[in-house]
Amino acid sequence: MRKLNSRVWNKKDKKMYYDGFYLTPDGELHWNDITKKDEEMIFMQSTGLDDFNDNKIYEGDILKCNTNYHGEIPVTELFALVMWDYTDRHWEGFIDYNDDLSGILSWGNCVIVGNSFENNNLLNEKQLYELANNYKK
C-alpha cells in the first residue's frame, strides 16, 4: 500500500491527523482500521509544495505572505487560503481573488500560519465563503 502524503481533519474530536489512515481503491476512508463516514472526516491532500520554512503545504492551510519583491519594503501582508481549483485543475491561494499557488509562493515570503479548521479567524469573509462551498460543512 502506498503512503499518502495527506492529512485528515476529524470533525468529531476537532483534531488534525497526519497518519493512521488510508484510502481504499474505491475511495473509502479508513482511520485506525475503522471505516469513517464522509461527514465525520475531511481528507486533504498535500500540494507537493513547501513554504518559505520548508514545511509541506496542505489543502486548507493558511499562508501568510507579503508582497516583498527582491528585498523591497513589504507593500502588503496577505493571508492566502490553499484550495484545489476544480475548474482549472491547479492549487490556488485564495486571497480576495484566485491566484495560482505557485505564483503566490514565487513572492518568496509565504509561511504557514495555520489551517482553515483550527485558525479560520485568520480568514476574511470571501475566503470563509469559498471554504464553506469547497468543504460543504
Side-chain angles (χ1 to χ4, degrees):
M1 187 178 322
R2 194 175 94 186
K3 169 112 171 84
L4 297 173
N5 196 359
S6 22
R7 66 184 182 189
V8 172
W9 174 253
N10 185 319
K11 291 181 183 180
K12 190 173 183 177
D13 65 11
K14 299 194 181 311
K15 290 186 182 177
M16 194 72 71
Y17 294 94
Y18 293 84
D19 57 19
F21 62 90
Y22 61 93
L23 288 175
T24 63
D26 61 352
E28 199 171 66
L29 179 65
H30 289 258
W31 179 61
N32 291 331
D33 293 326
I34 300 168
T35 302
K36 291 291 186 178
K37 296 179 182 168
D38 287 340
E39 60 269 5
E40 294 177 31
M41 309 289 272
I42 297 176
F43 180 79
M44 291 167 277
Q45 295 185 130
S46 167
T47 64
L49 302 170
D50 297 333
D51 73 354
F52 185 74
N53 295 325
D54 292 326
N55 295 311
K56 291 188 184 314
I57 300 172
Y58 291 88
E59 180 178 4
D61 276 344
I62 301 170
L63 304 177
K64 182 179 176 183
C65 307
N66 69 46
T67 55
N68 181 345
Y69 294 100
H70 308 293
E72 295 173 12
I73 296 172
V75 177
T76 308
E77 208 163 65
L78 304 168
F79 290 95
L81 172 61
V82 177
M83 293 173 38
W84 179 252
D85 182 336
Y86 289 95
T87 304
D88 294 333
R89 296 188 174 129
H90 67 98
W91 291 106
E92 63 183 28
F94 189 83
I95 300 171
D96 282 327
Y97 52 88
N98 298 347
D99 197 0
D100 182 273
L101 185 59
S102 59
I104 289 174
L105 291 174
S106 71
W107 296 346
N109 293 317
C110 294
V111 294
I112 299 167
V113 292
N115 65 67
S116 57
F117 300 100
E118 297 168 310
N119 312 98
N120 65 8
N121 59 308
L122 298 174
L123 300 175
N124 66 35
E125 190 175 318
K126 288 181 183 178
Q127 291 167 323
L128 289 170
Y129 175 78
E130 289 295 321
L131 178 65
N133 284 335
N134 194 40
Y135 291 115
K136 309 272 191 253
K137 287 186 179 180

